C-alpha cells in the first residue's frame, strides 16, 4: 500500500456473508488497481445517495482502513448505472 489517500479499484467478488458486526451481512472484495491487493468491505462502507449496492466489475474509489489494513472504507462508485438499465 503506497500512501493513505484515495485508492482506485474494481469489485471482483461479492460474498453472501462475512460483513457486518456478526459476519452475517454480505461482503464485497475490491482489487486495488495500483498494487493489485485485495480489500473487503460491506454495504455500510458504500458512500451513496441511493441504494447501498455494488455489482461485480464496477470501478470504485476507496480508502484503506487505518484500524484494519485489509479492509476498505468510504467506498464510492465511479460508474453510476442508468437506473432504467440497472433494473432490467
Amino acid at each position: 500500500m503506497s500512501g493513505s489517500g484515495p485508492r482506485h479499484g474494481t469489485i471482483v467478488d461479492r460474498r453472501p456473508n462475512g460483513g457486518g458486526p456478526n459476519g452475517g451481512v454480505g461482503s464485497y472484495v475490491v482489487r486495488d488497481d495500483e498494487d493489485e491487493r485485495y480489500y473487503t468491505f460491506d454495504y455500510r462502507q458504500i458512500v451513496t445517495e441511493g441504494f447501498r449496492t455494488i455489482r461485480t466489475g464496477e470501478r470504485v474509489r476507496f480508502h484503506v482502513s487505518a484500524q484494519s489494513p485489509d479492509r476498505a472504507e468510504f467506498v464510492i462508485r465511479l460508474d453510476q448505472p442508468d437506473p432504467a438499465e440497472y433494473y432490467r
Side-chain angles (χ1 to χ4, degrees), residues 39 64-72:
Y39 302 91
V64 176
S65 170
Q67 289 79 30
S68 185
D70 62 337
R71 299 279 299 168

Side-chain angles (χ1 to χ4, degrees), residues 1-46:
M1 176 176 65
S2 62
S4 60
R7 315 285 296 169
H8 290 86
T10 303
I11 303 301
V12 295
D13 194 15
R14 183 190 184 285
R15 299 176 180 162
N17 55 34
N22 299 318
V25 176
S27 64
Y28 300 90
V29 179
V30 59
R31 183 182 65 229
D32 188 297
D33 288 344
E34 184 178 322
D35 63 15
E36 297 186 353
R37 288 187 58 187
Y38 294 91
Y39 302 91
T40 59
F41 64 96
D42 62 57
Y43 76 94
R44 297 170 303 159
Q45 293 302 323
I46 302 170

Side-chain angles (χ1 to χ4, degrees), residues 8 10 15-16 23-26 44 47 52-54 69 71 74 82 86:
H8 290 86
T10 303
R15 299 176 180 162
V25 176
R44 297 170 303 159
V47 179
R52 289 181 182 238
T53 188
I54 290 180
R71 299 279 299 168
F74 307 116
D82 175 38
Y86 189 79

